[in-house]
Amino acid sequence: MGRTKVSTLFANKHNNNNYMLPYSNTIRQTLVNRPNTHKDRFPFSLFELLRRLIHSRKVDGDSKTEEEEKVYSWLYTLAQSDKNLVFEYVRSTERGLSFTEADRRLRENGPNVPLEYSFPRWWHLLWNSLFHPFIIILIVLSVLSFITCDSPNGFIMLILVFISVTLRFYQEYSSSKAAMKLSEFVKCPIKVQRCAGRVVQKELVVQVDQRDVVPGDIVIFEPGDLFPGDIRLLSSKQLVVSQASLTGESWTTDKTAEIREDHSTPLLDLKNICFMGTNVVSGTGTGLVISTGSNTYMSTMFSKVGKKKPPDEFEKVASALNPQMLPLIINTCLAKGALAMAKDRCIVKSLTSIRDMGSMDILCIDKTGSLTMNHAIMVNHLDCRGLPQEKILRYAFLNSYFKSDQKYPLDDAILAFVYSNGFRFQPSKWRKIDEIPFDFIRRRVSVILETEGGHSQFFGRFLLTKGALLEVLRVCSFIENFDKDEISPFSSDDYQRILNLSEDLSNEGLRVIAVAIRKLEMPQICETSNGSKREEEDIERDMVFIGLITFFDPPKDSAKQALWRLSEKGVKAKVLTGDSLSLTTRVCREVGISTTHVITGPELEQLDQNTFHETVQRATVLARLTPIQKQRVVQSLQTIGNHVVGFLGDGVNDSLALDAANVSISVDSGVAIAKDMADIILLEKDLNVLVAGVEHGRLSFGNTMKYLKMSVIANLGSVISLLIATLLFKYEPLTSRQLLTQNFIYSVGQIALAWDKMDEEYVKTPHKSSERGLSMFMLWNAPVCTLCDVATLLFLWFYYKAYTDVTQKFFHSAWFIEGLLLQTLIIHLIRTEKIPFIQDVASWPVIFSTVVTSAIGIALPFTPIGKVMGFSLIPLSYFGFLVLLFLGYFTVGQVVKRLYILVYKKWL
């Protein structure tokens, strides 16, 4: 079979074909397929259509899809069945399939690959950048401009389209290196038992490529092999399997063929089922392939990749309005945020994720490596009654010190504990005789040592063993009672006491290994007379249990501070992990995450829909989650809780949640699929980097909202003012050339908004765009702009008598300057809740842009270009009026602003 060194990558490209049974089977269809309750209905009705339309847009946070239900039912059916019956279900025999039948099934079902896959090309990214709602609207407007012979306006909008598309495409193309993959299998040989012969059939063990394995094949596996499909075990010998690719848990799980499961067992805890993508750690066995390709549990899990996320409220609002410069302003803000995050060692692959990070109010994180240091430290050395004993530490230290086969992290932790705490166990006085290395069947390591001299109780030759608790207890016949200073036979009470102590320690989030010792007679040697090694079982027996060593994966020093800073900014943390609840709870308590409401994946599986959603909203720690459950939790938070959800993960098991989240975050050390699916990649696994990302996101979102709100009120006010002026005067207030020039100068000046700052109060809380909020903002503030324009009209009418054809050029000049200055100065009123220029001043790029834009607008009528455009000279008295007008505008605007904030409790 295939070794674990074979790389297994994943992608989002998948086939949406309906679920197909690998073959036709009456028994299986009766057990798995649901009856069609709609078959007697009228095939179409209005109510049915409406129901489908409504539910097609809803992301259910807890219900399984029909494909999942089929896979679950099929696996449970096989797990609950006797080994002899499973052959009937898959139409196979104890000898295996014939080569002819295997070829027929391969043609029928296709290659054994989970889902179809293809790399996205550069033109796909360009297409996505071009066909954006903002860009499409601008292109349509540009075409309409050319049709109506307004070529200058059409060219300007095309230039804006080019700049915006180029900026977005370049950023995303340079950041994203590969397409998301579901499963890219290389040539991987699998040992399969097939039968051959026309008269007398014989069993043959052959190697076939993993892609050629079919349902009904009998596979033979050994340590390091990768399961080529979902497997029902037929035989097993001390089989230990790693399911880290599905669960994210680093611990292994025991599997056995000699069991019939029931439906109450969680799917991934089934002892007689092995899943595609998992691998053999130790032991051997045979198994019957019951599902391959797109019908496996792994394929069903990753078929959810690429599903549509909840609609982006910002884009929905902005697309309906779409000021001309909006795409350019947005991309400039986001690109600036991406560059700032790059300085904080973040790679931004999707520009829009920066804006979403600013709106994020829930961050879901996996425990391992995100909150913890991802390496063990030793905590204590306890006897059977839970009391610290130095002798236990001494023997554990000597075992770790002298073992040479392979040093594990736990050995380093023991050595570090001894050295850092000042213990002096004098290993130089011991001499190593031999070593029995660790393996995944015995799950323990032993060394044989003897002292150099006859000093105290340590004189002689000793066998020192440490390893998994149950495996060490299996070879112990005695126990050392430190309180009585004696060694007594191992009793059932002692056994139960140790198990209870181990369970208590595990509930505290500690990992436990056991230590045992046996004194050997000096004539007893580790090699026979012919030089061959003595059997391990001859040595590792009748040992004395002395105690336990406990370990803990400590939280990062920066984690608690980072979580507190995120909380201060309105971002709540939830832990979604595949690890045990006890371990997760302890880590969460140490980093300041509330553990009042906790739940596990198997418990979530038993809840109805409403209870599921309520529990997910309330819980802060969710442990023992499968990848699908992580995805459902994220979707429930989005759809039912109306939250903007971020997810930080680095494993294959996190890929579904990363795909579903509004903001998906991974780390540079993560697996390929996690990094490919992530919108943001952290080069350092430090949550403090996320705090900076949230700040950049809110800055980008806030500056974009400034432009959007400023544009809508300026445009609405201008439209109303132009309508009033057109009704009052015999001529148009501005020619098309003058209006286009005014709009272009003003729009270019607003690019500086991307470099503006935000109020400190604004970046402390997450913000979301709202259609209703934008409408109310426009209705409150646009009339203030119209009021200023009307005041200007009245002043020009009564003071300058500018209502005749003779004064037309003068009116155009005066109206052009007032409109340009008003739209330029609006930004200073809109950009802050405070009093502009007094309590808060814009950044220097915005100030500079305001000064330059205003200067160009004022100077233009006095230049030859202004004369060509139909402008005339303006008297100084008009500029005095404008000073008074804008002072009045800021006064009235500030009053309206305070009233708006009083009513709606926010500004931008």
Side-chain angles (χ1 to χ4, degrees), residues 91-107:
R91 293 193 305 150
S92 185
T93 67
E94 295 182 355
R95 292 182 175 180
L97 298 175
S98 66
F99 287 91
T100 302
E101 176 63 14
D103 290 339
R104 187 191 69 79
R105 294 190 181 188
L106 183 61
R107 290 193 301 271

Side-chain angles (χ1 to χ4, degrees), residues 443-470:
R443 293 165 64 184
R444 57 181 181 263
V445 59
S446 298
V447 295
I448 300 176
L449 307 177
E450 70 176 15
T451 56
E452 293 292 344
H455 60 309
S456 68
Q457 74 269 29
F458 300 118
F459 173 72
R461 180 172 292 182
F462 296 87
L463 175 68
L464 308 182
T465 300
K466 76 174 190 299
L469 176 61
L470 294 181

Side-chain angles (χ1 to χ4, degrees), residues 25 33 35 43 61 100 171 174 211 241 294 309 337 346 377 428 479 497 528 538 685 721 729 794 807 864 884:
N25 188 296
N33 292 351
T100 302
Q171 179 68 25
S174 61
R211 297 170 57 93
V241 172
S294 60
K309 298 183 181 182
C346 291
I377 62 170
S428 59
I479 184 171
R497 185 188 308 114
T528 58
D538 293 341
K685 205 167 186 179
S721 302
F729 294 88
L794 295 176
T807 58
L884 296 176

